[in-house]
Amino acid sequence: MRTLHVNKGKTIAQTITDRTDYAENPEKTSKGELIIGYQCDPLTVDAEFLLSKRQYKHITGRDQGRRDVLAYHIRQSFKPGEIDPEHAGRVGQELAMRFTKGRHAFIVATHIDRAHIHNHIVFNSTSLDCTRKFEDFKGSAWAVRRLSDQICLEHGLSVIENPQPRRGRHYGTWLGDDRKPSYRELLRQAIDSALEQKPADLDAFLAAMKAAGYKIKHGKHLAFKAADQKNFTRLRSLGDGYSEQDIWDCISGKRPRTTSSPQVDSSIRPNLLIDIQARIQAGKGPGYERWGKLHNLKEMARTLIFLEENHLTDYAALEHEAVAAAASFRDLSAQIKAAEARMTEVNDLQKHIGNYNRTRDIYRQYKAAKFSRAFRSEHEGAILLHLTAKKAFDALGVEKLPTIKSLQTEYGKLMAEKKRLYRDYRQARDRMRSLQTAKANTDSILRAIPASELEQQR
């Protein structure tokens, strides 16, 4: 998602017109037939957006000038040959409605000038009532992608299994699993392979890179070039974990090598992301009727996105995490119960020590009177409290009475520990529930795949 500011050397009206005209290009939208407008007419959308800005300024008195965000632009691409233009427009409209909650006017222009169909969604930053602006937030692009993935899955469409940043690619390029890896991706794989050989020093690492077919450029920054590559690629452009310092730390053993995503042994279990996505796209088959309703289809989409975001596309990993989460939850429950039990003991101990101290003199007198019945009858209550306290000390195995102050200190520590455990307990409970729900949904989905097909995949 991109923000639209006032272009340099242009007015607000010209900037809005330029962007909407690009989206509504008749040569790309079948002469304008593939444009959908919400709370605005596609023919006059620029004028309507501009009018809302003036009304907003009049109502609120706020004016950010050239720093103001005029609109937001979302691009949504689909896998080639998988969707028709009209369906793509409806998917884009649903994405815009659900993301803006229907509070902002927008247009959805579906472009068909490339092999893959893609949407341009432009929504007004000013709300429909002209009293507020859309509040962009950290991670909004991720939120749009996640929502788009869920909607696409609900419509039986493909999503990218491991989405990567564009890094200069054209927005219209489909980055699915069948795309050709970039030079940077190939270089990352070569570096990972070289480091897996555990080179003794930097020279050994560079020798392994040469053996992999890379030319090396020494200078202020190390750079590599593949045999068919035109320009050198610097390490610092490869992202986290691939800087010169990161590589040197790995070689010297200062820290273990980490990768951006977990490695999955696909020969053991089917990739759940592919299996579930294929199941949704199939739209038919044994057991699919149970998932035919929209609610269940949305649950499948949410499950798939949860598995992808938590790197649990291998069934064994999902199973292991679900068991581990349940064990962690039970362990925290046991710790909380132990803390509560000890708090009860400490509380009772304080009460008995208080009673014991208050009745100690009377009990001594009772003992000095050789346990006289008349004395006991006169001080029955105090003597019973004293005996009860002594019995409680014996039951708790107390040989030397602690001070009240030390018990109060221990009680305070136990209370703080209990609060901390409860925070972890709630997190563990939520994670356990999420994993168990995801596993239950996954099991239901996989049960819909014939046993012979599942065995063949394994």
Side-chain angles (χ1 to χ4, degrees):
M1 185 173 77
R2 295 181 60 188
T3 56
L4 177 61
H5 294 272
V6 183
N7 290 339
K8 187 175 181 180
K10 295 191 176 183
T11 64
I12 293 176
Q14 290 171 335
T15 302
I16 296 176
T17 300
D18 287 348
R19 179 49 55 188
T20 54
D21 282 354
Y22 175 80
E24 295 180 336
N25 188 333
E27 295 180 359
K28 300 179 179 182
T29 58
S30 186
K31 297 181 180 180
E33 294 180 0
L34 300 176
I35 302 173
I36 300 172
Y38 170 73
Q39 295 295 325
C40 63
D41 189 328
L43 296 175
T44 58
V45 60
D46 51 351
E48 292 182 50
F49 278 21
L50 181 59
L51 179 60
S52 71
K53 309 296 177 191
R54 293 173 178 170
Q55 290 177 325
Y56 172 82
K57 181 180 178 181
H58 176 74
I59 294 172
T60 66
R62 303 190 190 106
D63 183 11
Q64 293 182 309
R66 302 190 70 85
R67 294 183 295 108
D68 189 20
V69 177
L70 305 179
Y72 292 87
H73 188 176
I74 299 172
R75 301 181 179 99
Q76 183 185 38
S77 297
F78 302 93
K79 188 174 183 179
E82 191 175 68
I83 191 172
D84 60 75
E86 291 76 14
H87 189 187
R90 292 194 297 271
V91 172
Q93 183 181 17
E94 185 175 350
L95 171 61
M97 282 294 293
R98 286 168 65 169
F99 186 69
T100 65
K101 298 180 173 60
R103 297 170 184 165
H104 298 260
F106 62 78
I107 59 169
V108 180
T110 304
H111 285 198
I112 56 174
D113 58 317
R114 295 181 177 273
H116 59 278
I117 294 171
H118 56 279
N119 288 326
H120 287 266
I121 303 169
V122 181
F123 70 88
N124 194 353
S125 62
T126 306
S127 61
L128 292 173
D129 59 7
C130 301
T131 60
R132 64 187 65 192
K133 292 287 191 72
F134 179 84
E135 294 184 8
D136 198 9
F137 53 92
K138 185 177 181 181
S140 58
W142 174 88
V144 170
R145 181 185 68 79
R146 189 178 189 277
L147 180 58
S148 176
D149 284 355
Q150 181 172 330
I151 293 172
C152 286
L153 289 169
E154 291 170 9
H155 284 260
L157 302 171
S158 297
V159 297
I160 299 173
E161 181 179 350
N162 294 306
Q164 301 291 334
R166 284 196 291 119
R167 293 192 179 95
R169 298 188 190 97
H170 191 272
Y171 68 85
T173 304
W174 169 262
L175 302 180
D177 298 329
D178 53 353
R179 66 183 175 89
K180 182 181 178 180
S182 67
Y183 286 116
R184 282 187 172 84
E185 289 170 340
L186 293 172
L187 179 54
R188 291 189 196 97
Q189 294 173 12
I191 291 173
D192 290 339
S193 299
L195 291 175
E196 285 175 2
Q197 300 174 25
K198 297 182 179 180
D201 50 28
L202 186 59
D203 289 338
F205 167 74
L206 295 177
M209 292 300 293
K210 285 182 180 179
Y214 281 89
K215 293 183 179 179
I216 302 169
K217 181 179 179 182
H218 296 274
K220 186 177 180 180
H221 299 285
L222 270 178
F224 297 86
K225 185 174 76 170
D228 58 342
Q229 189 177 354
K230 184 177 180 181
N231 299 317
F232 281 88
T233 303
R234 291 182 177 181
L235 288 177
R236 65 177 186 173
S237 69
L238 298 179
D240 294 339
Y242 292 94
S243 68
E244 294 173 37
Q245 187 61 47
D246 291 329
I247 292 174
W248 173 246
D249 287 345
C250 181
I251 293 173
S252 60
K254 289 184 179 180
R255 63 180 178 186
R257 180 67 178 162
T258 58
T259 56
S260 58
S261 59
Q263 299 298 315
V264 178
D265 185 358
S266 58
S267 64
I268 298 175
R269 295 279 185 173
N271 185 306
L272 299 183
L273 190 63
I274 296 173
D275 289 339
I276 299 171
Q277 187 172 320
R279 205 65 213 160
I280 294 173
Q281 292 171 358
K284 57 184 179 180
Y288 187 79
E289 290 181 358
R290 296 195 302 272
W291 297 90
K293 295 181 181 179
L294 180 61
H295 172 75
N296 286 343
L297 191 57
K298 288 183 177 181
E299 283 299 314
M300 293 169 73
R302 277 193 284 266
T303 299
L304 178 54
I305 292 173
F306 174 84
L307 296 175
E308 180 187 10
E309 291 176 349
N310 289 274
H311 306 294
L312 296 174
T313 57
D314 177 70
Y315 187 85
L318 172 61
E319 215 169 23
H320 176 268
E321 285 296 318
V323 172
S328 176
F329 175 76
R330 288 194 297 270
D331 180 59
L332 287 167
S333 299
Q335 291 183 53
I336 290 173
K337 288 179 181 178
E340 289 175 339
R342 179 55 185 166
M343 288 171 70
T344 301
E345 288 181 0
V346 170
N347 196 40
D348 291 343
L349 197 54
Q350 289 185 74
K351 180 181 70 175
H352 289 308
I353 289 175
N355 292 337
Y356 181 84
N357 290 335
R358 284 195 302 272
T359 60
R360 183 164 45 190
D361 290 341
I362 292 176
Y363 191 80
R364 284 175 181 171
Q365 294 173 25
Y366 175 54
K367 189 175 180 180
K370 298 182 179 179
F371 306 105
S372 166
R373 289 185 178 181
F375 188 90
R376 181 179 181 119
S377 178
E378 185 179 353
H379 303 281
E380 182 77 25
I383 292 171
L384 285 176
L385 284 175
H386 192 82
L387 292 173
T388 302
K390 289 184 69 176
K391 192 177 292 184
F393 298 151
D394 293 338
L396 293 172
V398 177
E399 297 180 358
K400 182 179 179 181
L401 293 182
T403 63
I404 295 294
K405 185 176 180 180
S406 67
L407 290 174
Q408 289 174 342
T409 301
E410 183 183 359
Y411 191 89
K413 290 180 179 179
L414 288 167
M415 178 62 75
E417 178 67 9
K418 181 182 173 182
K419 288 182 179 178
R420 184 192 67 78
L421 288 171
Y422 259 117
R423 286 195 297 270
D424 296 342
Y425 170 86
R426 285 190 289 269
Q427 293 176 359
R429 178 196 60 197
D430 293 343
R431 178 164 176 76
M432 179 187 70
R433 288 175 177 174
S434 297
L435 286 166
Q436 288 180 343
T437 300
K439 185 177 180 299
N441 289 346
T442 299
D443 289 340
S444 296
I445 296 168
L446 292 182
R447 277 199 299 271
I449 301 177
S452 57
E453 181 183 338
L454 186 60
E455 184 61 32
Q456 183 179 5
Q457 289 181 8
R458 289 179 180 174

